[in-house]
């Protein structure tokens, strides 16, 4: 039996550039990426703690140990800043197809990544003030995006 060829021809559509700019990532997509990254970061911090315990002769760190807390903050900072400066996406951001970049569309440099990290943490500790702002902004930008002159866009 002879197979019939489909008369439909699949067409490849070219992506058109939106003149109004890129599509900003929604708050739910951003929070989902943060949740994914949080799970990954916990694993990184557990591994770092296991390695640091060898320096403390296997004894648990006291809750007020400044060096241990500084090491965990440094590991978290390194985790986020490395991903943001190497492609603009953490693994969670890649899963949810979003990307961090400067407001002008260029990739983040170290200064922009550091600023975004510290301002984001500060505003999150202030009762999530940056995220509440994202609910009111037309483009869905968080306050840390505006302060740091960065944006989180969809990367589909």
């Amino acid at each position: 039996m002879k197979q019939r060829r489909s008369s439909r021809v699949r067409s490849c559509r070219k992506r058109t550039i939106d003149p109004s700019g890129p599509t900003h990532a929604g708050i739910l997509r951003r929070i989902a990426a943060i949740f994914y990254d949080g799970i990954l970061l916990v694993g990184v911090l557990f591994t770092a703690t296991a390695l640091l315990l060898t320096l403390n002769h296997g004894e648990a760190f006291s809750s007020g140990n400044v060096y241990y807390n500084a090491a965990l903050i440094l590991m978290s900072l390194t985790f986020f800043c490395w991903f943001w400066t190497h492609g603009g996406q953490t693994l969670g951001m890649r899963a949810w197809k979003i990307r961090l970049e400067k407001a002008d569309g260029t990739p983040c440099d170290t200064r922009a990544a550091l600023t975004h990290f510290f301002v984001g943490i500060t505003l999150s500790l202030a009762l999530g003030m940056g995220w509440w702002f994202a609910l009111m902004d037309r483009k869905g930008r968080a306050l840390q995006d505006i302060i740091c002159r960065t944006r989180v866009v969809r990367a589909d």
Side-chain angles (χ1 to χ4, degrees), residues 37 80-94 97-102 106-109 113 116 151-153 155:
D37 288 331
F80 285 106
C81 288
W82 189 87
F83 280 111
W84 288 339
T85 57
H86 292 85
Q89 296 175 301
T90 60
L91 296 175
M93 293 171 84
R94 190 168 295 179
K97 296 182 172 129
I98 58 177
R99 180 181 62 250
L100 178 70
E101 57 189 27
K102 289 183 180 180
T106 59
C108 279
D109 56 8
H116 191 82
R151 63 184 182 187
V152 178
V153 295

Side-chain angles (χ1 to χ4, degrees), residues 14-28:
K14 290 185 178 180
R15 290 185 106 174
T16 57
I17 298 173
D18 184 12
S20 64
T23 305
H24 289 273
I27 190 167
L28 292 178

Side-chain angles (χ1 to χ4, degrees), residues 59-105:
E59 298 291 322
F61 293 101
S62 64
S63 61
N65 189 321
V66 176
Y67 299 114
Y68 174 65
N69 292 335
L72 294 183
I73 291 170
L74 183 63
M75 289 299 297
S76 301
L77 175 71
T78 303
F79 175 84
F80 285 106
C81 288
W82 189 87
F83 280 111
W84 288 339
T85 57
H86 292 85
Q89 296 175 301
T90 60
L91 296 175
M93 293 171 84
R94 190 168 295 179
W96 284 95
K97 296 182 172 129
I98 58 177
R99 180 181 62 250
L100 178 70
E101 57 189 27
K102 289 183 180 180
D104 61 3

